[in-house]
Amino acid sequence: MFVKNCIHFITTVCLTLSACHSQHDTQESKEDSIQTTVSASDSIDQATGLVIDEALPIVKGNCTACHSAQLITQNRATREGWKSMIVWMQQTQNLWDLGNNEDIILDYLAKHYAPEQVGRRKNLEDIEWYDLH
Amino acid sequence: MMKKKKGIHALYAEDPIEADRRLWGRVSHAESRRGFLKRSAIATMGMALGGNIVFAHHMPAGLIPASLAHSIQPFEIPGKDPGLVVLNDRPLNVETPAHLLDEPITPADKLFIRNNGLPPASLNVDQWTLSIDGESVQKPKTYTLAELKSRFKSYTYQLTLECGGNGRSEFNPPAQGNQWTVGAVGCPAWTGVRLKDVLQDAGIRPDAVYIGYYGKDVHLSGDPEKVVISRGVPMAKALEEESLIAWAINGEDLPLMNGYPLRLVFGGWPASTSGKWLYKISIRNKVHDGPKMEGDSYRVPCEPVAPGTQVPDENMCIIESMPVKSLITYPRSGARLSQGKKLDIRGHAWAGDLAVKDMHYSIDFGITWQPCTLEKPANRLAWQQWKAQLTFPRKGYYEVWAKATDSEGKAQPMIVPGWNPKGYLNNACHRIAVMVV
């Protein structure tokens, strides 16, 4: 399954590499961990945090002009859900007609940023344990 | 889940021009703008992207695609605590982890940011004015900041400001927008003049229904004509004593990202009603119809719907008072403590237009609830402090859950409440993890 988002991905890889510790206090260790992470797998575009595939340049070119890709990587939706966001941006936010690229973009979004089946409330995740004295 | 890595470090220190561009919009002064536009000529942009920019001619001038939005490189926001979590760096959307909200009065550097567009590119505070107009104003008026401060009595209230989408990340099916967890809330002390004093000075016609605000933020598309967001409140809320036109937080100027030099503050209502960079208020003879008053924005189904339902516009109702909610601000989730040790827990609770009447905690997943000590609010619409001391019966994994009950007897749910298309109003109880060893 594709990563939930780049951040989750980084955390996961961090843990499996055990190269980084649960506390990233210094800037260096953070940057290191990002470096390590990205080279450990090429599937995340370092500049935007988007999943890399053939459609990425088109997605970047059309979807990061106004806002950062973080608005995409935070979100999950079906193809119809992504389509309705695009229509909303076209109707209200000055997004242009995407022409033939619309299908390419929608396929990309629906593939990499699809909703997961989760319950009504998840377990607490990514707990950073620390000693309380 | 997003906390650590989106957490912030030193891009700003390393490269202030780049950070400035991303934070304030990209035009800071003429020189950098020229340099910038040259580099972003469309062909070059296409090359940098490794592909053609389709419909490049539709792209408003001055817009750049993505290669420039290095969104996984974190950065610091001037005037904000580095522990805040950036959900989106353009536009800036930043939340505060619960444990950083521990103080009863939220410091300005720990107040969340929800920007819908870019903050004003240039600000001339000496020339800043506030106009009152609209169908239902008696006499349109314009005040300078200095006039506002001298002509009207100023008031200070602690007012709870919470983004309508706080908690959105928990909805299923997922709701679109910034995936706020729990930290799009704060309760600083705001200073300003009463909105009602200013509205009454201009004169309110009897047919007034609503006020709508206008701010100087800039649309993400760069289109200078396009209003980013223009919302408001019904007259009854506008005329409350605590409804402020504010210029200060905790005795200091508002931070730029929180609306400097002037904004509205409506405690207990979705923060999107509290317009930032305020320059105009229209007294309307109908429900205000600015951008983000309509469609799914800041509205929820009038009647409850099954998760995932498509709801027609006419069945969506504007959110008014926010629901009862609370936070555990101490200890931070993840505390490991030795068996037999007592644990002090504390936090805040708030309830939109109402007060919080009771506060309880549970360490057994809601099977039993114990009361907490609950303080009175500093003033109406301020959050209230609560605390308790607890012990754990044996070693193991616990979750501490906190549940507030409002003055009308409504309590926070344990699971995520009614699904709605944009994921507003999640007031499910806050939970922290504790390990007893």
Side-chain angles (χ1 to χ4, degrees):
Chain A
M1 194 204 69
F2 273 94
V3 298
K4 234 181 129 200
N5 63 35
C6 63
I7 300 314
H8 189 210
F9 170 75
I10 289 166
T11 317
T12 319
V13 175
C14 257
L15 294 174
T16 48
L17 290 178
S18 70
C20 16
H21 313 282
S22 58
Q23 297 288 35
H24 297 271
D25 282 327
T26 63
Q27 191 192 323
E28 282 73 26
S29 74
K30 281 191 186 161
E31 241 109 53
D32 282 355
S33 71
I34 289 173
Q35 285 300 337
T36 322
T37 302
V38 174
S39 55
S41 159
D42 278 335
S43 65
I44 299 288
D45 174 54
Q46 204 172 1
T48 59
L50 288 166
V51 175
I52 293 172
D53 79 9
E54 322 82 73
L56 178 64
I58 290 170
V59 174
K60 269 192 186 183
N62 286 285
C63 301
T64 58
C66 297
H67 46 71
S68 82
Q70 287 172 331
L71 216 37
I72 298 173
T73 55
Q74 285 186 70
N75 279 297
R76 296 291 176 276
T78 59
R79 201 173 196 283
E80 298 72 59
W82 283 110
K83 166 92 185 173
S84 72
M85 280 184 261
I86 286 175
V87 169
W88 173 76
M89 283 183 281
Q90 287 169 333
Q91 286 171 349
T92 64
Q93 307 296 337
N94 284 358
L95 174 60
W96 44 85
D97 181 347
L98 296 167
N100 295 336
N101 284 327
E102 181 166 306
D103 274 339
I104 299 172
I105 293 171
L106 283 173
D107 289 344
Y108 171 92
L109 295 169
K111 178 171 169 203
H112 300 299
Y113 300 98
E116 286 172 25
Q117 279 312 317
V118 293
R120 193 66 179 261
R121 218 165 178 199
K122 291 206 243 183
N123 287 335
L124 293 176
E125 287 176 338
D126 299 333
I127 300 164
E128 294 172 51
W129 293 106
Y130 64 98
D131 293 320
L132 183 71
H133 300 291
Chain B
M1 173 188 79
M2 311 198 167
K3 46 187 177 266
K4 195 162 59 201
K5 296 308 174 168
K6 290 217 175 170
I8 319 175
H9 15 160
L11 182 77
Y12 205 81
E14 279 164 20
D15 188 349
I17 293 168
E18 167 69 1
D20 260 358
R21 183 190 62 71
R22 291 162 54 198
L23 285 173
W24 320 111
R26 46 192 84 95
V27 226
S28 37
H29 58 87
E31 229 176 272
S32 59
R33 185 183 167 83
R34 264 202 305 279
F36 183 76
L37 286 174
K38 206 160 76 192
R39 269 188 291 129
S40 65
I42 292 190
T44 330
M45 285 201 292
M47 252 160 63
L49 293 170
N52 281 331
I53 300 168
V54 191
F55 295 108
H57 53 288
H58 290 322
M59 263 166 98
L63 267 192
I64 340 215
S67 14
L68 302 156
H70 302 284
S71 47
I72 59 176
Q73 279 180 25
F75 57 92
E76 272 175 20
I77 302 151
K80 290 287 168 180
D81 187 290
L84 268 50
V85 178
V86 177
L87 301 180
N88 186 6
D89 60 16
R90 186 165 48 103
L92 211 48
N93 281 267
V94 180
E95 70 172 311
T96 315
H99 68 277
L100 292 182
L101 287 169
D102 196 38
E103 285 117 308
I105 301 178
T106 310
D109 70 337
K110 299 202 179 69
L111 185 63
F112 73 99
I113 302 169
R114 194 292 187 242
N115 285 351
N116 290 255
L118 300 169
S122 68
L123 281 170
N124 188 340
V125 177
D126 296 334
Q127 272 163 32
W128 195 276
T129 56
L130 173 67
S131 301
I132 312 294
D133 70 3
E135 304 94 353
S136 299
V137 72
Q138 246 146 25
K139 217 169 345 109
K141 281 212 171 168
T142 297
Y143 309 90
T144 63
L145 266 183
E147 279 168 349
L148 276 182
K149 291 180 187 180
S150 63
R151 289 201 32 198
F152 301 95
K153 185 169 179 325
S154 57
Y155 295 85
T156 298
Y157 296 107
Q158 230 190 296
L159 299 170
T160 309
L161 199 65
E162 180 178 15
C163 175
N166 198 21
R168 173 176 295 141
S169 60
E170 289 195 292
F171 281 100
N172 173 39
Q176 273 66 57
N178 289 289
Q179 298 298 304
W180 305 102
T181 64
V182 298
V185 62
C187 189
W190 306 89
T191 300
V193 294
R194 284 184 174 150
L195 173 60
K196 71 169 181 177
D197 291 350
V198 178
L199 296 180
Q200 280 161 0
D201 188 61
I204 306 167
R205 289 179 194 264
D207 64 349
V209 171
Y210 226 86
I211 62 107
Y213 67 73
Y214 292 86
K216 286 235 157 109
D217 39 355
V218 180
H219 193 264
L220 291 172
S221 66
D223 178 350
E225 301 304 311
K226 200 163 168 58
V227 177
V228 176
I229 179 168
S230 170
R231 307 197 64 246
V233 296
M235 288 317 291
K237 182 70 179 172
L239 298 178
E240 283 183 0
E241 302 207 326
E242 300 83 2
S243 295
L244 293 182
I245 301 173
W247 54 78
I249 282 184
N250 305 332
E252 311 222 335
D253 285 349
L254 298 169
L256 176 63
M257 291 300 166
N258 298 115
Y260 176 80
L262 200 65
R263 70 172 299 164
L264 286 167
V265 186
F266 296 108
W269 282 43
S272 57
T273 59
S274 297
K276 304 195 280 187
W277 307 292
L278 177 73
Y279 74 91
K280 189 170 82 172
I281 297 171
S282 298
I283 310 180
R284 306 297 314 268
N285 63 1
K286 56 177 178 182
V287 174
H288 184 54
D289 51 3
K292 302 210 176 176
M293 283 299 294
E294 287 166 338
D296 290 348
S297 295
Y298 304 101
R299 304 204 302 171
V300 291
C302 306
E303 308 289 334
V305 299
T309 306
Q310 287 215 340
V311 187
D313 265 14
E314 62 272 21
N315 294 349
M316 296 288 282
C317 286
I318 300 171
I319 301 169
E320 300 198 328
S321 173
M322 298 282 287
V324 62
K325 199 161 171 180
S326 60
L327 273 182
I328 306 166
T329 58
Y330 183 88
R332 173 159 63 85
S333 185
R336 212 188 281 113
L337 79 160
S338 12
Q339 198 188 2
K341 207 174 169 289
K342 286 186 164 42
L343 178 66
D344 288 305
I345 60 170
R346 61 173 180 260
H348 319 289
W350 61 97
D353 277 339
L354 304 175
V356 177
K357 182 184 70 177
D358 283 315
M359 189 70 210
H360 290 88
Y361 74 86
S362 173
I363 57 167
D364 54 13
F365 305 97
I367 295 168
T368 62
W369 291 92
Q370 273 64 45
C372 308
T373 312
L374 176 69
E375 311 256 326
K376 295 232 163 345
N379 51 254
R380 181 171 173 262
L381 310 182
W383 66 15
Q384 295 165 241
Q385 281 57 62
W386 61 267
K387 63 180 179 195
Q389 189 176 65
L390 49 115
T391 48
F392 297 91
R394 65 185 74 84
K395 288 181 187 170
Y397 172 85
Y398 293 86
E399 291 179 10
V400 180
W401 292 8
K403 177 177 77 170
T405 306
D406 72 20
S407 51
E408 290 179 351
K410 293 191 182 119
Q412 291 182 255
M414 300 305 105
I415 57 167
V416 179
W419 184 91
N420 59 89
K422 283 285 289 174
Y424 297 117
L425 307 182
N426 176 9
N427 66 336
C429 74
H430 185 215
R431 308 172 291 169
I432 62 164
V434 173
M435 188 75 82
V436 177
V437 291

